[in-house]
Amino acid sequence: MPVDTENKYTLCPKFTKTFGILGRKWNGLIIEVLLEKGPQRFRNLADSVDKCSDRVIMVERLKELEDEGLVERMAQPGSTRVLYKLTPQGEDLKEIMSDIHKWSDKWYSVEDCANS
């Protein structure tokens, strides 16, 4: 909730932190892919977030999401393969992401998105 400190409007720090995480480029798309497809290898995840062609940025975003407790990096036993999956905290974003889908379906057309 917004905070009214002596009639000065300020945003709740929790709200600000959340938007800081979700608003970073690619984070929401990474979360969406993991919600829809489940645990993913890096290559599959990177291919699913097709506009993010920079491997370094994808690694940075995954590390940020891991540091925030939203994504878990899992090494597969006896292999060099790594899977990324949502933690319970990340899975908790499912309803929010669904609401974002509903909002975007209401207010944007496919043509609007093609021009972006």
Side-chain angles (χ1 to χ4, degrees):
M1 296 292 290
V3 179
D4 184 0
T5 308
E6 300 175 27
N7 296 320
K8 181 182 176 195
Y9 179 86
T10 59
L11 290 171
C12 170
K14 295 180 204 177
F15 183 83
T16 303
K17 178 175 176 64
T18 302
F19 261 85
I21 296 166
L22 296 178
R24 289 250 4 207
K25 196 165 190 175
W26 312 119
N27 284 358
L29 299 177
I30 291 167
I31 291 166
E32 178 65 14
V33 169
L34 293 173
L35 280 169
E36 292 298 316
K37 295 184 174 184
Q40 296 288 302
R41 290 181 51 204
F42 180 86
R43 170 66 20 232
N44 298 27
L45 186 55
D47 288 346
S48 294
V49 183
D50 60 349
K51 293 189 183 216
C52 182
S53 59
D54 189 334
R55 180 181 170 84
V56 173
I57 291 174
M58 180 66 83
V59 169
E60 287 174 3
R61 294 301 177 262
L62 285 166
K63 180 68 176 133
E64 287 172 8
L65 293 170
E66 189 178 355
D67 290 346
E68 292 296 341
L70 299 172
V71 170
E72 180 181 353
R73 183 181 187 273
M74 302 178 351
Q76 293 180 305
S79 172
T80 59
R81 291 185 178 181
V82 172
L83 284 178
Y84 292 92
K85 74 172 202 164
L86 292 173
T87 63
Q89 183 180 348
E91 290 281 348
D92 237 10
L93 292 166
K94 189 172 188 96
E95 187 176 338
I96 292 166
M97 297 303 274
S98 176
D99 286 343
I100 291 170
H101 276 285
K102 290 174 192 170
W103 183 87
S104 61
D105 286 343
K106 179 177 179 179
W107 293 103
Y108 293 110
S109 69
V110 174
E111 293 78 25
D112 293 331
C113 299
N115 298 328
S116 299

